[in-house]
Amino acid sequence: MAVTQSAGESTAEAPDRRAPSGGQDAQPRTGRFPGLSPHAVGMLALLLTVTIWAAFALSARALSSSTLLPADAALLRFGVPLVVLAPALWRRRRRLAAVRFGPAAKIICGAGVPFFLAAMYGGSLTSAAFVGAIVPGMVPLFVSALMVAGGKSAPRGTQAAGLALIVAGVVALVWRYTASLDADVLLGTGTLLVASGLWALYTVGLREVDLDPVGSIGLLCLPSFAVIALLSLTGVLPTGLARAEGGDIALFLVVQGLGVGLCAGLLYAFAIRRLGPERSSVVGSLSPVAVVLLAVPLLHESPTLPVVVGVPLITLGVALANRRRRSSRTKVSADA
């Protein structure tokens, strides 16, 4: 998921301000990378994060042609981080138990099972470019709406122009399908918009909890894994994990479990510390472009005219919406 910002306070910086002492944030030190400057190490972490965000969009599209079902991918997405981080999460159990219900519900609903299933279903009906552009691209608009509803001031100037460009980009993406009444693409687009709105809810919830990146991953993955496991065991969501091909399992384990579920949040938090939130978010806004470029060789998706027009508009809009006013403090951002 691309990182996006709008008017408000920063969740991307929150782990940095509130990370507990004693090395619990588990962020690597620059000394472990001899010969590289802190800036270069931060940029490397950020580029890896953008690659993972792009891989999420690509996997959402690829799931429809794999031997895995959505429940299988969700089990890998939320289960792998729990296994890897089990000792660290056990040390944070008291802080996790102390999280208030409201913020926890925003995080679990916003980036958990509802978001995951919406993104996967929307991707199966559209294209990787739609997933990579609409889901992260619309987050600044939804976050701004939530902030205004909560009493914050509405975005102005450059930020408002950025939000307008995002809307124009989404319209450019779907206009052709609206005119031809392509029901599948329109339903997929609507589902992706729901996923984007849920991610905005997650973004707002993150700034309301006092957890470092590892704790935030645990707060999201533990209940989400329990829910998807229950739905699978009761037959509400079918699962074919036992019959799936080993290659598909390995691919989604790496991309969704290790990449999206574990590495993206930790790498982005590290990049924020090295590069700052504004520079990180601007580079992160390039993830829709990365999705379009990678979808050509990996999924054999040729960019259409709406994609060529809409994705750059959304990318530019996200970059502008992320810019801070000189008189403002930090802004709300979402990490994947």
Side-chain angles (χ1 to χ4, degrees):
M1 290 289 298
V3 171
T4 50
Q5 296 179 321
S6 74
E9 288 84 26
S10 173
T11 58
E13 286 190 298
D16 187 39
R17 294 194 304 267
R18 299 189 294 254
S21 60
Q24 285 191 13
D25 58 350
Q27 299 299 333
R29 298 179 181 276
T30 308
R32 298 182 184 181
F33 303 92
L36 293 178
S37 66
H39 180 275
V41 175
M43 185 60 68
L44 177 61
L46 185 57
L47 292 176
L48 288 173
T49 306
V50 171
T51 302
I52 293 171
W53 290 335
F56 172 84
L58 295 171
S59 66
R61 178 58 178 166
L63 180 62
S64 61
S65 59
S66 76
T67 56
L68 291 173
L69 297 175
D72 304 325
L75 288 169
L76 296 172
R77 160 67 178 88
F78 299 113
V80 171
L82 292 178
V83 174
V84 176
L85 297 176
L89 295 176
W90 177 254
R91 293 194 298 269
R92 291 162 172 80
R93 63 190 183 278
R94 291 186 178 87
R95 300 189 70 184
L96 289 170
V99 176
R100 293 179 293 116
F101 175 78
K106 293 176 184 177
I107 290 173
I108 295 166
C109 293
V113 175
F115 164 80
F116 187 86
L117 294 180
M120 294 299 111
Y121 182 64
S124 70
L125 295 176
T126 55
S127 67
F130 272 57
V131 180
I134 293 176
V135 175
M138 285 294 291
V139 171
L141 188 64
F142 286 124
V143 171
S144 294
L146 291 172
M147 293 293 99
V148 171
K152 303 290 184 180
S153 60
R156 293 177 295 176
T158 302
Q159 291 179 338
L163 296 180
L165 283 175
I166 292 171
V167 174
V170 173
V171 171
L173 276 178
V174 303
W175 178 257
R176 186 181 73 176
Y177 304 100
T178 303
S180 61
L181 295 178
D182 190 322
D184 285 345
V185 173
L186 293 179
L187 176 59
T189 300
T191 308
L192 293 176
L193 288 173
V194 171
S196 182
L198 288 170
W199 192 265
L201 192 67
Y202 165 73
T203 299
V204 174
L206 270 183
R207 62 178 286 267
E208 299 175 356
V209 298
D210 186 20
L211 294 172
D212 66 351
V214 172
S216 299
I217 291 172
L219 178 62
L220 168 64
C221 291
L222 184 58
S224 297
F225 181 79
V227 168
I228 201 68
L230 180 62
L231 293 176
S232 299
L233 289 174
T234 56
V236 175
L237 288 178
T239 176
L241 196 59
R243 302 180 299 275
E245 295 180 2
D248 289 340
I249 295 176
L251 175 63
F252 278 82
L253 186 150
V254 172
V255 172
Q256 290 286 352
L258 294 177
V260 177
L262 182 63
C263 295
L266 299 178
L267 285 171
Y268 185 71
F270 178 76
I272 285 286
R273 290 183 172 93
R274 290 288 182 261
L275 304 176
E278 188 169 2
R279 183 179 298 176
S280 297
S281 62
V282 170
V283 176
S285 67
L286 297 175
S287 63
V289 177
V291 171
V292 173
L293 295 177
L294 290 173
V296 175
L298 296 179
L299 299 179
H300 308 291
E301 289 186 0
S302 300
T304 61
L305 180 60
V307 169
V308 171
V309 174
V311 169
L313 286 175
I314 293 173
T315 301
L316 178 59
V318 171
L320 292 177
N322 286 343
R323 293 189 62 182
R324 293 182 291 179
R325 296 192 297 268
R326 292 184 181 274
S327 60
S328 70
R329 296 190 303 174
T330 54
K331 294 165 213 36
V332 172
S333 67
D335 56 48

